[in-house]
Amino acid sequence: MELGLTTFAEVGPGETGTVSPRQRLKNLLEEVVLAEQVGLDVYGVGEHHRADFAASAPAVVLAAAAAKTSHIALTSAVTVLSSDDPVRVFEEFATLDLISDGRAEVMAGRGSFTESFPLFGYDLADYDDLFVEKLGLLLALRDSESVSWSGRFRPALTDQPVYPRPERPLPVWVGVGGNPESVVRAGLLGLPMALAIIGGRPARFAPLAELHRRAVSEGGHEPQPIAVHAHGYVADTAEQAADDFYPSYAAAMTGLGRERGWAPMDRQSFDAMRGPGGSLILGNPEQVAEKIVDMRETLGIERFMLHPSVGPLPHDKVMRAIELLGTKVAPLVEQE
């Protein structure tokens, strides 16, 4: 089973106030280097176009990470394909794959935030249609050097070659927040799926994992891996983990709640989320390993990606969490 990390390069609000985008990106590169040093398998950077995140261009950030590492896989988490140009996405990640000696992945998603749609001139009424069409073009670009294609949302291509070409088929995952139609679409296309579990009980996602496996089979494809992305944190003790993580997490979730109509995050709700069966993968190394193993057994996942930098959490605490994830949690998960 692969273990890794994701981040949106959060710059604030947080326990220690707002971090400058420049400093946050420098911190991010230190995190990737440490993740590789402690033996983690994958690092993902999400795309957002907001003041509270510094990574609107994941491919650029991942290219910088590629120059500082040698074997950790580098993925977007996610690329908001609905509001991007699939040709440009393919070119950027093919280039990243060449720079990194075959470590690039695209995780394509529709996006849980909507800022990119007006920014790039798209109508939210076309939210799903945009993703379906652009995912089809991205896969066509991956599978053939020259592409003939037409659709609603960009100019047609006629026997158009696209370069550079990676030296292997570029891995494309689909990021899913819980929509069954998205799960089935990924499976029928024979694509691996990443489930974002940021609320509720992870066990309730088991039917979606099984739905994906059935769709892969019905589509006539070889079995494809399933990953989970979840908020969480690991510290030396359970009490320290909760006390470290809560201030930044509560600030971030309360801020989003004001936008989306959620109740403010309080300590009682937080403690319920970090308890057995809750969505937060948080605690000491033994507790975090147990939750990951439970998720593997319940969902049948092949990859787990922890997202500790919510808020943001102070950099030194994120670094310690990465160290513990690689040196303490990973051996426990492997042992199980």
Side-chain angles (χ1 to χ4, degrees), residues 11-20 311-312:
V11 296
E15 178 185 351
T16 58
T18 300
V19 180
S20 72

Side-chain angles (χ1 to χ4, degrees), residues 5 28 30-36 38 40 43 233-234 306 308 315 317-328:
L5 297 154
L28 185 157
E30 291 182 6
E31 293 166 16
V32 183
V33 170
L34 179 60
E36 178 171 273
V38 299
L40 296 177
Y43 193 94
Y233 178 69
V234 55
L306 186 72
H315 178 54
K317 295 180 180 180
V318 174
M319 294 290 276
R320 178 58 176 161
I322 294 171
E323 180 183 357
L324 290 171
L325 185 64
T327 63
K328 301 293 186 181

